[in-house]
Amino acid sequence: MDLVINKTSLNGMIDIPSDKSISHRSIMFGAIAHGTTTIKNFLRGDDCLSTLKAFQDLGVEIEDDGEVITVYGTGFSGLKQAKQAIDVGNSGTTIRLIMGILAGTSFSTELFGDHSIAKRPMNRVMLPINQMGAECTGHDGTEFPPITVKGTENLQPIQYQMPVASAQVKSAILFAALQAQGKSVIVEKEKTRDHTEDMIRQFGGEISVSEKEISITGPQKLVGQEVIVPGDISSAAFFLTAGLIVPDSQITLNNVGLNPTRTGIIDVIQQMGGTLTIQETGSEANKAGTLTVETSNLKGVEISGEIIPRLIDELPIIALLATQAEGTTIIRDAEELKVKETNRIDAVATELTKMGANIEPTDDGLIIHGKTPLYAAKVTSYGDHRIGMMLQIAALLVKDGTVELEKAEAISVSYPRFFHDLNNLY
């Protein structure tokens, strides 16, 4: 058990860690492009390092001087068979997206990860990839890792109606479609984060998006680029929440990525009455900004429908935010939370209830009754980085006693400097 940090107010400025989604994809696109890609402000968290190592295992030369990562792209056809099974660690993004890239190879690859990855469903990627002509199989005939991908150099295009709103599934299909012989069409259930579409264009590819329909014709050749990774709004979410609910606080967050498919939490904060100011600093192609929050009186809201994919990773910390809002907050249409690093619906409800929150899990979300004081307890992250960070922010509201957090080390998956940055606020 680790004793969590306790502070009575939070003031100061933080440089948020680099965007996890873009960091993953920068390595992937750099590897499958022709020529050199340089990546600045890469997130050196465990998950993204799993992606970097996976492509080194596939024969891609990648250098890291501590400041800039240089990827010497091989194109799709230059990837080489790994000498052994590839370990994706705790990273669902790595295993799912790389399946789409491996679909067009001429060899077989085995992918495995930690105990959490071994429980995560892969049929959502395996089924469309298999329809395109590759052979993806799970452990003992199941849909669970280890996954073996036997690629084919004759991938066929696909017309695919997405059964789930998932940027990971969409991205895997797009990577396969870049290698397929003809036009693929993907129709999303709801619009999800579009970093993959943006980076296809950035690396010289062609893709057409109209509302929820995405069209892409393969095969395509991509060309190496410079990528400057903005700060991750999913990591910023924890300090946005802390600044809103910890008394006498004001926190400024620099260089936060503001891609519109990721800013659902900003919409929710504004609906709840939070004091939040945004100073835009990025470009049209790379939206970013400086965000400042202050302690606020919040009110409960309903969160459901098309906004859910725009804040799916932020829902655990939004649930904590709701415990400090007057009235009831209802989260619906978020069944995808059940198949993250842990079942986040159950984990959030169980651990915040231990601390005194009035929170009910449902089949597709949570009902949170506020405003409630929180108390000291022994809690666990379940090995899930976002649950761990949420519980540390919750502990800041505890006035008496100590909160002990089990498996706090999971936080390094996406935010290695989390405790350091929190300590530096005053």
Side-chain angles (χ1 to χ4, degrees):
M1 290 282 188
D2 290 290
L3 303 181
V4 300
I5 296 167
N6 192 17
K7 288 176 177 279
T8 55
S9 65
L10 300 171
N11 291 275
M13 186 175 291
I14 296 174
D15 293 325
I16 286 297
S18 310
D19 188 282
K20 189 161 165 271
S21 295
I22 297 175
S23 293
H24 278 300
R25 287 162 174 79
S26 65
I27 295 287
M28 294 177 182
F29 276 96
I32 62 178
H34 294 262
T36 302
T37 291
T38 56
I39 307 165
K40 297 177 181 176
N41 204 31
F42 179 80
L43 177 66
R44 290 170 178 80
D46 296 348
D47 275 12
C48 296
L49 292 174
S50 291
T51 291
L52 190 156
K53 177 65 166 57
F55 281 91
Q56 288 177 325
D57 290 348
L58 291 166
V60 180
E61 184 182 353
I62 304 175
E63 297 175 353
D64 181 3
D65 66 6
E67 292 291 327
V68 177
I69 289 179
T70 305
V71 184
Y72 298 95
T74 65
F76 284 109
S77 61
L79 297 175
K80 295 182 171 61
Q81 186 166 20
K83 292 185 172 69
Q84 56 197 17
I86 293 176
D87 183 359
V88 305
N90 185 247
S91 179
T93 301
T94 305
I95 193 168
R96 287 185 174 138
L97 271 61
I98 208 170
M99 287 166 66
I101 292 171
L102 293 171
T105 62
S106 60
F107 49 79
S108 292
T109 307
E110 183 177 323
L111 306 165
F112 74 98
D114 66 9
H115 69 282
S116 168
I117 287 292
K119 298 174 183 175
R120 298 185 71 173
M122 296 295 154
N123 261 348
R124 52 186 53 194
V125 176
M126 292 165 62
L127 293 175
I129 296 299
N130 286 347
Q131 285 180 37
M132 298 176 78
E135 294 180 28
C136 302
T137 53
H139 178 62
D140 286 343
T142 70
E143 64 168 310
F144 300 103
I147 300 291
T148 299
V149 182
K150 183 179 180 182
T152 174
E153 293 178 301
N154 188 32
L155 269 184
Q156 299 303 302
I158 191 171
Q159 310 282 316
Y160 196 67
Q161 187 94 25
M162 295 270 293
V164 293
S166 168
Q168 291 181 356
V169 177
K170 173 181 66 175
S171 297
I173 300 170
L174 287 173
F175 278 127
L178 283 167
Q179 306 169 74
Q181 308 293 320
K183 180 179 177 181
S184 294
V185 178
I186 304 164
V187 181
E188 293 199 81
K189 184 177 180 182
E190 299 286 356
K191 284 187 74 69
T192 61
R193 62 187 63 177
D194 60 2
H195 301 303
T196 302
E197 295 95 309
D198 284 348
M199 294 181 83
I200 286 172
R201 297 185 191 99
Q202 181 182 356
F203 280 75
E206 294 185 3
I207 184 169
S208 173
V209 180
S210 177
E211 298 298 327
K212 297 177 185 176
E213 183 173 295
I214 304 164
S215 302
I216 184 166
T217 300
Q220 294 194 32
K221 178 180 177 180
L222 304 178
V223 180
Q225 301 291 318
E226 179 184 63
V227 179
I228 302 174
V229 183
D232 196 329
I233 195 166
S234 295
S235 296
F238 298 95
F239 287 107
L240 290 173
T241 297
L244 290 164
I245 64 176
V246 175
D248 304 317
S249 296
Q250 183 181 79
I251 303 174
T252 297
L253 307 173
N254 295 321
N255 187 38
V256 179
L258 295 177
N259 178 305
T261 63
R262 296 281 300 282
T263 52
I265 186 169
I266 290 176
D267 295 351
V268 168
I269 288 170
Q270 291 170 336
Q271 289 166 17
M272 295 179 88
T275 302
L276 167 67
T277 59
I278 303 171
Q279 181 184 354
E280 293 192 9
T281 56
S283 64
E284 185 63 29
N286 188 18
K287 296 181 188 299
T290 299
L291 309 184
T292 302
V293 288
E294 300 176 15
T295 308
S296 303
N297 294 318
L298 305 170
K299 63 178 186 296
V301 295
E302 180 169 331
I303 306 166
S304 61
E306 64 182 17
I307 197 174
I308 293 294
R310 296 177 54 227
L311 46 62
I312 190 71
D313 286 337
E314 291 74 68
L315 284 172
I317 193 65
I318 289 172
L320 172 62
L321 189 68
T323 69
Q324 303 308 302
E326 295 291 344
T328 299
T329 294
I330 300 172
I331 299 171
R332 291 196 177 100
D333 305 319
E335 55 273 3
E336 191 69 10
L337 287 176
K338 294 179 178 179
V339 292
K340 292 289 186 177
E341 283 81 340
T342 187
N343 180 331
R344 287 180 176 164
I345 291 176
D346 288 349
V348 167
T350 299
E351 299 310 303
L352 287 180
T353 297
K354 288 180 186 176
M355 297 181 70
N358 185 348
I359 181 167
E360 306 165 34
T362 66
D363 286 343
D364 66 346
L366 295 158
I367 300 171
I368 306 111
H369 304 284
K371 176 177 180 181
T372 54
L374 299 183
Y375 303 98
K378 290 184 178 182
V379 292
T380 179
S381 76
Y382 300 89
D384 185 327
H385 55 125
R386 299 198 197 280
I387 299 298
M389 286 184 278
M390 180 273 290
L391 291 169
Q392 165 59 83
I393 301 304
L396 297 172
L397 300 174
V398 173
K399 291 183 171 59
D400 297 309
T402 301
V403 176
E404 296 182 24
L405 174 59
E406 187 178 26
K407 300 184 179 179
E409 67 279 1
I411 289 169
S412 69
V413 161
S414 64
Y415 201 155
R417 294 187 293 108
F418 176 73
F419 292 109
H420 172 270
D421 285 351
L422 179 56
N423 255 327
N424 278 353
L425 296 172
Y426 57 89

